[in-house]
Amino acid sequence: MMLEFYGTKLDSRLLIGTALYPSPRILSDAVNASGSKLVTVSVRREAARARSGQGFWEIIKQLDVCVLPNTAGCRTVKEAVTTAQMARELFETDWIKLEVIANDDTLQPEIFGLVEAARILNDDGFKVFPYMTEDLGVAEKLVAAGCEVLMPWGAPIGSGQGLANPLALRTMRAYFPDIPLVVDAGIGKPSHAARAMEMGYDAILLNTAIAKAGDPVKMARSFAMAIDAGRLAFEAGLMEPRDMASPSTPVAGTPFFKLGDAS
């Protein structure tokens, strides 16, 4: 089954950020190599670029992908809502990746402001993709506020730590079986992405691990392959771990011979 957000189907489960790339050409090549059909764009960064931002927007349009503007850098509800409204005008979309940041060192989501901003934006017709922690209580409030997608972090943004709390992520997947879940932030290696997909997550959103790689194009391709492998493994059905060994060749019915037995 294809990935689907708010009624829009995508044939890739890798979502890519557009910051930190060495050049626009490498950004384009990496997105194409990944097969991604959705990229995120920082509204505040592009607004600050003014005229130069138009060139960046032209590059994004040439990629022929869905655009998910984000409210990166916002620390209050008012900032986030205003930035989302700017994004709707700039990019002509009602999709928004909602970020309300609490702490400069961890870039952890400010959960109270996040829920309030999500409610305001959903009421205003936005389709909200909230960047959140793996807290179930927060997730329930976001769903009640109208969010049809949840985006729990794997680890702090840009840290490359992978899945810091896999047990909580597994619990969230089990608790919300019918809601698209995207691991957003902290993914540093293709193996991290594969692990999340094996848990049953629907997609991975990452930026730094590709953009800052020695070869972003090869890294984009490797993440695409890892995500496909992880999803396929989940759909196939992973074996349950065992406490003890279990022989692949059954012992029952196997003939045994004594040393020196000529028969």
Side-chain angles (χ1 to χ4, degrees), residues 128-152:
V128 179
F129 295 67
Y131 162 64
M132 56 178 292
T133 62
E134 63 278 78
D135 187 288
L136 286 182
V138 176
E140 287 186 312
K141 287 179 172 58
L142 288 167
V143 171
C147 297
E148 297 180 16
V149 179
L150 298 174
M151 304 180 73

Side-chain angles (χ1 to χ4, degrees), residues 166-204:
L167 178 58
L169 290 172
R170 288 182 187 277
T171 301
M172 182 172 286
R173 177 70 285 177
Y175 202 82
F176 296 100
D178 301 320
I179 292 180
L181 299 181
V182 181
V183 172
D184 175 18
I187 299 296
K189 302 176 183 178
S191 57
H192 296 159
R195 186 181 185 193
M197 298 303 292
E198 288 172 358
M199 291 180 183
Y201 274 75
D202 296 282
I204 304 293

Side-chain angles (χ1 to χ4, degrees), residues 71 77 80-85 88 94 96-99 114-128 145:
T71 63
V77 172
V81 170
T82 301
T83 302
Q85 291 167 342
R88 184 156 59 183
D94 54 7
I96 192 73
K97 179 191 170 188
L98 179 61
E99 298 184 31
L114 178 69
V115 172
E116 183 180 350
R119 182 175 293 109
I120 292 169
L121 291 173
N122 277 305
D123 289 346
D124 193 25
F126 282 89
K127 296 177 173 62
V128 179

